[in-house]
Amino acid sequence: MDDVEDTAQRDDPRPAGRESVRSDPTRGELRIHLGAAPGVGKTYAALCEARRRLDRGTDVVVGLVETHGRARTADLLEGLEVLPRRTVTHRGTTLAELDVEAVLARAPEVVVVDELAHTNAPGSRHARRYSDVEEILAAGIDVISTVNVQHLESLHDVVERITGTRQQETVPDEVVRAAEQVELVDITPEALRRRLAHGNVYPAERIDASLAHYFRTGNLIALRELALLWVADQVDVALRRYRADEQIDEVWEARERVVVAVTGGPESLTVLRRAARIARRAGAADLLCVQVLRGDGVATRDTGRWRDLRRLAKEVGASFHTVVGDDVATALLDFARGANATQLVLGTSRRSRLARLVDPGIGARAVAASGPIDVHLVSHVETRDDGQDDDARRWPRLGQLVRGRRAARGWPAAIVLPILATCFGWLFPAVGLSTDTVAFFLATVLTAIIGGLVPAVVAALFGGALLNFFFTPPLYTFTVGRFEDLVAVTMMLLIAVLVAAVVDRADRRAAQAAQARAEATLLASFARVVISRSDPLPRLLERVREAFGFTSVAVLERGPKSSWAVIARTPEGPPDDAVPGGGDPAEADADVEIDEGSHLVGCGRTLTAAENRLFAAVAGPALLALRNRRISAEAVDAARRAEASGLRTALLSAVGHDLRTPLSAIKAAVSSLRDPELALDPGDREELLATVEESGDRLVALVDNLLDSSRLATGAVTPHRTTVGVAEIVDAAVAALPTAEVRDRVEIRPSPPGESDEVVADPGLAERIVANLVDNAVRHGGDGPVSLRTSAHADRVELRVVDRGPGVARDAEMFTAFQHLGDHDSSGTAGGLGLGLHVARGFAKAMGGTLEPEETPGGGLTMVLSLPRAQASRTVRPVVAGAAS
């Protein structure tokens, strides 16, 4: 509401937010006008939009608009169809609320509903207005609404600290984010205060207090910044999703993001502070602090420095990331492009000038390959030589050249192949110098193919020396007597460099192609997991853990108070408290946002820059898997609610029969007994009392069955099983029948002589089962007798309750709660509650037995109760099942 005073609030289940992209074409679109404070013109803008659509021929109505006495806003209502409001009386006060039924019945194309965060009056269709809007959208009607930034749930505490006013009405951020359009309605704080002073916002008696408290200039500036930043964040999320969907790798300078590279050296704190100042001057830009490890993923720096760096990064508002890469400049630029960064901050090199002649350094290479990313080189006192350490003195490119699998194969070739060429010249002296030279050329080329550049250069130098010493005059000296010999050695070196460069390029291309194929195969396997399983999230997380070598992978979801909870994780690995679920996902070794409020994180190892890109691509399958789980949970919940609703409907419908009949009989009998004008003889009086007693017994039995059914549904009984004879159970059940007439209809046929009828069961539950079966047979089995027959078979004892009634169809739902014979559905409309057989089967199952129907030969129904035989049971253990005795 525009009113900033406290109002009553009721708890309301929060609806799940919709995605910003419309997945259901039949659903209406939501357009929200967002403002920083009351009076900025949200309702005015919403009505202007409604009038524009009306002028274009759109069917527009006003469902509810609060003008708050503002004349210019009220003038915009002229010419618009305004639906009548629904009145609700609460504690003697009549309140006017949005009439959702009237909107649905009118079914316009667009409806204007003001104040999305409003709390409805008690007794309304929904507790909150955004739930009303959700129902209208589901009906395919577009909605234009308004909301203030102080009503957004994520900013609730921030606004309270700024203004000192607690907002009792909030709307979940997901509801606003789900809108197809969010339009910011903005004016300057000075203009808003003038509007307030002129009486265009609140009545005159509230102007002074509002200007002195909530509408102070500082408050309005802060609220305006909150609104601008919130909208900017949503735009940034939409941009990131678009870039990911369209696979755009180039940097778009839509928002400033600063990446700062730290090495763990003494200059890192200085570089990070400088980057923080650059980010602040760029307009509160995002700041990302990146550590690049060697290819083996092992950090060699002092861990104390890294703790200081992480602490400083947190203090200056930077997120801390770690990537692995042999080429630091390439890894940094890959990370910066993946983050859509606009600026890269590096410390100047601490390497010697001689080392810079061989390799210009990380900064120079980053500048050369940065493209649209601005690169800042920060100077620091540690650039002098006396602050160098071993890692700083090392020539990084040289180390890469002399290490690796290809170089390891090349070093033996660089020695062996020139020696073989020399042996060839000695064995065949008649071939001549030109042939010997070609042999050494071949040795150099083979070494370049096998080992790369550095071994090929060594082979060329070594081969040239051997050629000069053994085959060029003057022999057995290193003197170069002819110019062509010098040319031969030089050409060998040049050929070595060229061939090695070509081989290196081809090798890199082959490695990239192989990596691309592997990544495509891996992503395809993730997609198959998502498509082929009903709940693919656990298997997908396990596949991600195996593919990336993590110890644990989890999906984290933001809670209501910005805390993080683990909603899915791999079963192996560290326990839940080792997964970053209680802190920020940025604390994990790898983190990627799945959707708003959900992150996929991995723990156990640091990823390379290329692996980071692949891990980010896993967010797509993870999002599908997460949506699949949410949809399945919603379907189960909907089915559970539908079942509960059906049971409630059946109970309410059936209770009218099973309760009304005995209550009516009791009321009629008692009224007759108490009527002083009605002369009753002792026989009539006794009959009326018997009616009262019989009806009371029916009510007691009905309540018992209801309670038993409820306990069966909630799962709470432990049958106390013991050895008991079936004859004892039958005698007790028949003795409990209500009348002698009913008892006389029961025929008991005991088990054959010498055959034990003892079973392992709960005597009380077994008696209830038999009593329900006999009662059901007496009431539905016609006028004939009801027979109880006992027989033993192997490890089971069976009790048959046989009637000669009309029988039942094979597909009759006799064991369904609230279902009677002859009912057309389970609503209970054709009879009573129908709980007897449902409860009987539940008790039988609880004791390890079964209850099944059979056709009686010659017509009728036979209910077969099977229980475990006593002598066949070696151990007697309580079985927890669905009811409490």
Side-chain angles (χ1 to χ4, degrees), residues 358-623:
V358 178
D359 184 2
I362 297 172
R365 295 200 305 275
V367 170
S370 63
I373 301 176
D374 297 335
V375 179
H376 302 266
L377 296 179
V378 178
S379 60
H380 45 86
V381 296
E382 286 77 14
T383 53
R384 62 181 184 270
D385 291 341
D386 57 356
Q388 297 175 2
D389 56 15
D390 292 340
D391 287 343
R393 297 175 187 272
R394 179 169 50 88
W395 292 2
R397 301 294 290 180
L398 181 60
Q400 296 176 21
L401 292 173
V402 300
R403 290 195 302 266
R405 287 181 296 179
R406 292 188 66 234
R409 295 193 301 266
W411 290 119
I415 304 300
V416 172
L417 291 179
I419 293 176
L420 291 177
T422 304
C423 295
F424 173 79
W426 273 99
L427 293 175
F428 302 97
V431 297
L433 181 60
S434 60
T435 304
D436 293 334
T437 304
V438 171
F440 281 101
F441 271 118
L442 179 60
T444 302
V445 170
L446 291 177
T447 304
I449 294 175
I450 296 173
L453 179 61
V454 175
V457 172
V458 172
L461 293 174
F462 184 46
L466 293 177
L467 177 65
N468 181 49
F469 189 83
F470 290 104
F471 301 107
T472 60
L475 299 178
Y476 311 120
T477 67
F478 290 105
T479 302
V480 180
R482 294 185 303 175
F483 177 74
E484 54 266 28
D485 296 338
L486 180 62
V487 172
V489 175
T490 305
M491 292 181 64
M492 289 175 63
L493 288 173
L494 181 60
I495 290 174
V497 173
L498 293 178
V499 172
V502 172
V503 172
D504 281 344
R505 177 174 296 181
D507 188 63
R508 286 197 303 270
R509 295 292 184 267
Q512 291 171 358
Q515 182 180 3
R517 286 196 301 271
E519 292 178 357
T521 302
L522 187 61
L523 292 176
S525 68
F526 293 158
R528 283 196 299 272
V529 170
V530 174
I531 295 173
S532 61
R533 294 175 177 263
S534 57
D535 184 14
L537 193 56
R539 179 56 181 162
L540 178 63
L541 297 183
E542 182 63 23
R543 292 293 301 274
V544 172
R545 186 190 68 80
E546 295 171 355
F548 290 93
F550 291 124
T551 57
S552 181
V553 179
V555 174
L556 307 182
E557 191 169 62
R558 189 189 298 273
K561 295 183 178 180
S562 298
S563 60
W564 294 90
V566 179
I567 63 173
R569 64 181 300 273
T570 51
E572 300 179 1
D576 285 343
D577 56 2
V579 178
D584 197 306
E587 299 175 5
D589 295 311
D591 167 38
V592 62
E593 184 181 36
I594 299 177
D595 65 355
E596 190 66 32
S598 300
H599 284 244
L600 176 67
V601 299
C603 301
R605 63 177 292 261
T606 303
L607 300 181
T608 65
E611 288 174 332
N612 259 322
R613 292 196 302 271
L614 181 59
F615 187 69
V618 180
L623 176 59

Side-chain angles (χ1 to χ4, degrees), residues 185-209:
V185 181
D186 181 46
I187 62 174
T188 64
E190 293 76 11
L192 180 56
R193 285 174 59 86
R194 285 196 302 270
R195 181 179 293 180
L196 179 66
H198 294 160
N200 295 328
V201 179
Y202 288 150
E205 62 273 12
R206 297 182 54 187
I207 292 177
D208 292 339

Side-chain angles (χ1 to χ4, degrees), residues 48-66:
C48 288
E49 173 65 20
R51 296 189 71 89
R52 283 194 296 271
R53 297 196 184 193
L54 182 65
D55 294 340
R56 294 196 297 265
T58 305
D59 183 14
V60 181
V61 301
V62 176
L64 185 144
V65 164
E66 297 289 354

Side-chain angles (χ1 to χ4, degrees), residues 10-253:
R10 294 177 56 194
D11 293 334
D12 182 46
R14 299 302 167 90
R18 297 182 289 115
E19 297 296 328
S20 58
V21 179
R22 293 183 67 195
S23 57
D24 185 359
T26 64
R27 186 182 181 86
E29 291 188 0
L30 175 61
R31 177 166 184 167
I32 294 178
H33 291 80
L34 175 70
V40 297
K42 304 179 303 299
T43 305
Y44 189 90
L47 290 176
C48 288
E49 173 65 20
R51 296 189 71 89
R52 283 194 296 271
R53 297 196 184 193
L54 182 65
D55 294 340
R56 294 196 297 265
T58 305
D59 183 14
V60 181
V61 301
V62 176
L64 185 144
V65 164
E66 297 289 354
T67 63
H68 296 286
R70 299 163 191 167
R72 295 185 61 188
T73 303
D75 293 341
L76 290 176
L77 290 173
E78 296 182 4
L80 291 172
E81 179 183 350
V82 180
L83 297 180
R85 303 187 186 186
R86 181 180 55 84
T87 57
V88 178
T89 302
H90 178 62
R91 296 180 180 177
T93 303
T94 300
L95 305 173
E97 299 290 355
L98 173 66
D99 194 339
V100 180
E101 294 182 358
V103 175
L104 298 178
R106 172 64 174 77
E109 295 180 66
V110 181
V111 61
V112 181
V113 180
D114 201 10
E115 299 181 359
L116 187 64
H118 173 75
T119 300
N120 293 330
S124 300
R125 189 185 188 97
H126 300 288
R128 305 299 295 273
R129 185 165 292 168
Y130 59 76
S131 299
D132 296 337
V133 169
E134 185 72 19
E135 183 175 357
I136 295 172
L137 292 171
I141 302 172
D142 295 348
V143 177
I144 301 174
S145 189
T146 63
V147 71
N148 280 329
V149 71
Q150 71 260 28
H151 296 304
L152 294 174
E153 193 169 80
S154 65
L155 300 177
H156 176 265
D157 297 338
V158 179
V159 173
E160 182 180 359
R161 288 195 297 270
I162 293 173
T163 64
T165 302
R166 184 174 184 82
Q167 302 296 329
Q168 297 296 332
E169 292 180 323
T170 60
V171 60
D173 289 40
E174 291 78 7
V175 175
V176 182
R177 291 192 186 103
E180 279 68 29
Q181 298 183 63
V182 177
E183 180 177 329
L184 179 65
V185 181
D186 181 46
I187 62 174
T188 64
E190 293 76 11
L192 180 56
R193 285 174 59 86
R194 285 196 302 270
R195 181 179 293 180
L196 179 66
H198 294 160
N200 295 328
V201 179
Y202 288 150
E205 62 273 12
R206 297 182 54 187
I207 292 177
D208 292 339
S210 299
L211 287 173
H213 295 90
Y214 192 88
F215 286 83
R216 293 197 302 268
T217 301
N219 290 356
L220 296 180
I221 292 174
L223 292 174
R224 188 187 187 198
E225 183 178 16
L226 284 177
L228 292 169
L229 291 176
W230 193 91
V231 173
D233 286 339
Q234 307 319 304
V235 174
D236 187 62
V237 169
L239 178 61
R240 289 203 303 269
R241 288 177 178 170
Y242 176 79
R243 285 170 53 85
D245 293 340
E246 299 297 327
Q247 297 182 351
I248 299 174
D249 294 330
E250 65 184 54
V251 176
W252 288 4
E253 300 179 4

Side-chain angles (χ1 to χ4, degrees), residues 310-329:
R310 289 180 179 272
R311 183 173 61 252
L312 179 60
K314 186 175 182 180
E315 291 174 355
V316 299
S319 58
F320 198 93
H321 307 267
T322 303
V323 297
V324 177
D326 288 322
D327 190 331
V328 177

